[in-house]
Structure formats: C-alpha cells, structure tokens
Amino acid sequence: TVSEAMIRARREAMATVDSLSVEVSPDEREEVMTAIAETTSSSKITGGHQQRFVKMAVEVMGTVHPEAELRHVHLVKRLGGSMQESRLVCSGVLLEQAAVDGSPTMVGDAIVLVFQSGELSPGRRTGKIWSSVSVACSSAGGEAARKRVQQRCDRLIGLNVNVVISHGPIGSQAAHALTAAGVLCVENAGFDGCATASRATGAPLVRELSLVGEGCFGRAATVEHLHGGGERMVELRGCSQPRSCSVVLRAPTSDLLHECDRSLHDALSVLFVARHDLKIIGSAGSTEIAIAGALRESSRLLRSVEQQVFRIFAEALEGIPMVVARNAGLDAASLVAAAAARVGEDGAIGIDVIRGEVRDVLSGGVPIVAPARLVRSVIGLACDVATQILRIDENVMMPPKKQFVPPES
C-alpha cells in the first residue's frame, strides 16, 4: 500500500542521514556548537549582533549543569538600552523581584534559604513567610507570637543564613529582625522565582521553618540587589554548576527585543538537543538534496506504487532548499540542480545563500551544520504525520471487505 511505501521511504531516508552524520571529537565540541548556533540563530534584524548572541548561547551550555533543561534557562527581557548590553549572568540567575527595604545591597559568600509556604487554611494570609505565626501577631496573645517569630529569626541568624528568598510577602517584624542582622531578604518571588533560585544555588525548597537545619541551604558567591533606571532585581552569581541560569536581553524597541528573544531561544533549543549526542550533518539543503538523490536511485528498482511514493518524497525534500534559495532572492532552480548534480562527491554539497553559490558546507569556508539528531527527528515526525493521513485515506477509500458468513441451516 501507499502507507507501507512511505514507511519504507522513511527507513531509506534515515539510513542516508546516518551515513552522512559526522562524529564530533571533544576537542572540536565548542567549535561545532558555535557553528550550530550560528546556523540556527541567523536573523536579518539582529545580524550585526549575531556573534554576541552565539557566544552567549555557547556559554550557557558550558555554564548550566549537564542535566539542566531548556526551560531552566530564564530569558529576562528588558526594553531600553542597546542589544550590545545583553549579557549572561555569570554562573547564576536573575530574580525579577526587589529586595526588602533595609536589606544590604550585596552579600558575599551567600548562604541562601529558599522558603516556599504550603497551603494555608482559609482566613490566613497566604504566602506569609511565618505562616500562622505572623497572622497571630495581630490577634490576642500576639506578644507570645512575636517572641516565637524573633526566636526563629535568631535561629536563622545563628545558622549564618544571609539571604532569604520567600514565595510570598515577609512580615514586618521578621523583615526588620533579619535586615538588622545584615540578611538580604527577597519577598514575593513566587513559585517560579523560588524554583529558579533553588536550581541555581542547590537550596531545597523549605515549606516549614521548623524543619530548617544543616543541608537546607544553597550557596552563591555573591547576591546583589540591582536598582537603577526604574528597575529593581536581585542577581545571584557564582553558583557551582547551576541547574538554572539567566540571560538579560536588552533592545531599544519591543520588535527588536522580541527578535533577540526568538534568535537566542532558537539557538538554545538546538544546542540542548545536540549536547548529549553531538553528531553533525551538513545543513543549507545538503542533507535534503542527498536524501532525495538516494531515494530517486532506489526508486528505479521498485514497482509502480512504491516508485511513485519514493519520487514524491524526493520532490518534497528538494522543495526545502528551493524555498530557502528563493527567499534569499537567488535562482533557486539552477542552484538546486547544480547541488543535485554533485551528489556523491566528498563532503556535503549545499547552497550558501550568503555567497549565492553551491559549495561543501562542512569544510569549504564557514561551516553550515545541524545536529544529526535534530534532522532525524524532523524527518521522522513529518513521515509519521504523512503516514497517518495516508492510512486514514486508505481506510475511507478502501474499507476492509466484510467476511462472508454462511447462513445457519
């Protein structure tokens, strides 16, 4: 059937991808990742600053923990300033919350407590760092409650905690007691802020202050309260192998800021896919043209239906470099034909739209590459969708015949 022929064509395409893949040695890893980031982060709008974003993307991969995920990279977008002012927070994160008034501007050798309150019963102030104890301060018997708050503050200070990050607001008594002792307090960090600080510093999320003890704290070289230009943020730096990091993006207009975010996110998405299994393959249409050539060659030995499926598959793949060349204002048909004529030569023959020529995109000049794992995933997903549609059509157009059941005598 047509769907079976599509599955066979997919296997042929995957085999061609595997044969074209090139293993990357550890010495070439950074160079290859830079080339991948350059290929995926290209943008006409941010072209003059592309190398800066490429460098940041590669630095992110060298900064975060090997088990960190893309969602753990926090892109902080700030309108105003120049794109040149965009930066990666050095081995740390940026919290988009302000420190409590009276907190020190900077703390060195930070011992960080990340407090995330649990569910509170109705009528209590949600998110209070001291939960029911702080609420009791305003009720009868508040003097005893205030003593308990002071005792807990003294206990934290005795454990040398000098940074407290809270999910919700911090009570005034607790804030005054801690800041007076030189503790930098951050309130209203929310679930995302607490999780980000926890991944960066290694601090577990504490839900009950009565459970605070050794092993409940994270570490950072410095924690600084940044304030200026109408912005107030807290920056944690110098975390060892953080599972989260922040990149501050700046641009003079919202359109430029959005394009910076898109460009960097595209580069990071591909690098996170490629980092564990770093095999590369030629991009710039070279892989699609090579697979199309292999499918056409295999189709000569097949019967009519399978042969037609292989040829249509090849035409669909050749349409990708055709569109890329056409969007660059080049003679797409001539360039794709020239690249197809050189299939089988050593190297990966693709279309360099910057130079407007056909060349080896792996070794001839600036490399234009992509992770082999990503290419396999894209082709596999496209084939799965096409196969499913074909199977539905086959069931509608040619439903299975009902078996004849002889009548009972």
Side-chain angles (χ1 to χ4, degrees):
T1 62
V2 177
S3 59
E4 292 172 346
M6 176 63 74
I7 294 173
R8 182 173 178 180
R10 170 186 172 166
R11 287 198 295 266
E12 183 80 19
M14 292 300 187
T16 305
V17 171
D18 292 339
S19 67
L20 296 173
S21 301
V22 178
E23 189 78 36
V24 176
S25 66
D27 296 338
E28 301 172 325
R29 185 178 182 84
E30 184 173 348
E31 180 183 353
V32 169
M33 294 188 79
T34 300
I36 292 173
E38 287 177 346
T39 303
T40 53
S41 68
S42 58
S43 170
K44 295 178 181 177
I45 298 177
T46 62
H49 302 276
Q50 183 187 10
Q51 289 303 317
R52 183 171 186 81
F53 291 112
V54 167
K55 183 179 179 181
M56 280 195 294
V58 176
E59 286 178 350
V60 166
M61 303 310 299
T63 299
V64 296
H65 192 276
E67 297 180 2
E69 301 176 13
L70 176 61
R71 60 189 176 91
H72 298 157
V73 179
H74 185 209
L75 301 182
V76 182
K77 296 186 286 186
R78 285 290 180 264
L79 187 61
S82 167
M83 286 189 285
Q84 198 66 23
E85 298 174 16
S86 300
R87 64 185 179 89
L88 168 67
V89 178
C90 182
S91 298
V93 293
L94 194 68
L95 301 179
E96 298 182 74
Q97 289 80 25
V100 171
D101 292 337
S103 296
T105 303
M106 180 183 289
V107 172
D109 295 327
I111 300 177
V112 183
L113 170 69
V114 182
F115 183 84
Q116 187 176 23
S117 62
E119 292 294 327
L120 300 179
S121 59
R124 295 178 177 174
R125 187 176 178 184
T126 305
K128 201 70 173 175
I129 187 172
W130 311 119
S131 63
S132 58
V133 179
S134 291
V135 178
C137 290
S138 59
S139 62
E143 184 62 32
R146 280 190 285 270
K147 287 183 179 180
R148 287 195 294 271
V149 170
Q150 187 62 47
Q151 288 173 358
R152 292 187 176 185
C153 290
D154 293 340
R155 183 162 178 264
L156 291 180
I157 296 169
L159 290 170
N160 297 319
V161 175
N162 51 16
V163 177
V164 173
I165 299 173
S166 170
H167 164 265
I170 297 177
S172 58
Q173 182 197 356
H176 180 270
L178 292 172
T179 55
V183 179
L184 191 153
C185 301
V186 182
E187 62 179 355
N188 297 319
F191 289 105
D192 291 339
C194 288
T196 298
S198 174
R199 286 191 295 264
T201 63
L205 295 174
V206 177
R207 290 178 171 81
E208 294 183 25
L209 291 177
S210 59
L211 302 178
V212 172
E214 296 295 335
C216 293
F217 311 118
R219 301 279 179 170
T222 59
V223 178
E224 183 178 2
H225 182 209
L226 307 176
H227 47 85
E231 298 177 353
R232 300 180 67 188
M233 298 177 287
V234 175
E235 184 173 326
L236 294 84
R237 295 189 296 267
C239 307
S240 60
Q241 274 202 318
R243 294 177 181 269
S244 183
C245 71
S246 295
V247 179
V248 183
L249 299 176
R250 290 189 178 275
T253 67
S254 57
D255 289 338
L256 284 175
L257 188 61
H258 176 73
E259 189 64 19
C260 292
D261 176 61
R262 185 204 64 78
S263 179
L264 183 60
H265 185 273
D266 287 350
L268 289 172
S269 298
V270 177
L271 291 178
F272 269 89
V273 169
R275 60 177 175 166
H276 293 307
D277 182 19
L278 195 53
K279 292 181 179 180
I280 60 171
I281 196 168
S283 188
S286 62
T287 302
E288 290 82 358
I289 293 172
I291 296 174
L295 291 174
R296 291 184 191 280
E297 187 68 25
S298 299
S299 68
R300 297 178 181 178
L301 305 176
L302 303 175
R303 50 198 175 95
S304 58
V305 175
E306 289 183 321
Q307 185 180 74
Q308 188 69 7
V309 170
F310 270 56
R311 288 182 177 177
I312 293 173
F313 198 149
E315 290 174 5
L317 289 172
E318 287 177 341
I320 297 174
M322 189 82 72
V323 171
V324 173
R326 191 180 297 121
N327 288 343
L330 303 174
D331 185 355
S334 299
L335 290 172
V336 171
R342 295 177 59 182
V343 169
E345 296 183 11
D346 292 337
I349 309 301
I351 302 171
D352 187 339
V353 296
I354 303 298
R355 297 182 181 180
E357 63 182 16
V358 173
R359 69 173 180 89
D360 182 358
V361 296
L362 284 181
S363 58
V366 179
I368 307 175
V369 296
R373 184 177 175 184
L374 179 66
V375 175
R376 285 180 57 90
S377 176
V378 170
I379 294 176
L381 289 173
C383 289
D384 288 342
V385 173
T387 303
Q388 189 172 15
I389 294 173
L390 289 171
R391 282 177 174 169
I392 293 172
D393 288 346
E394 288 172 356
N395 289 332
V396 172
M397 301 299 293
M398 295 179 294
K401 295 181 180 179
K402 294 182 179 180
Q403 293 183 353
F404 175 73
V405 178
E408 296 180 0
S409 58

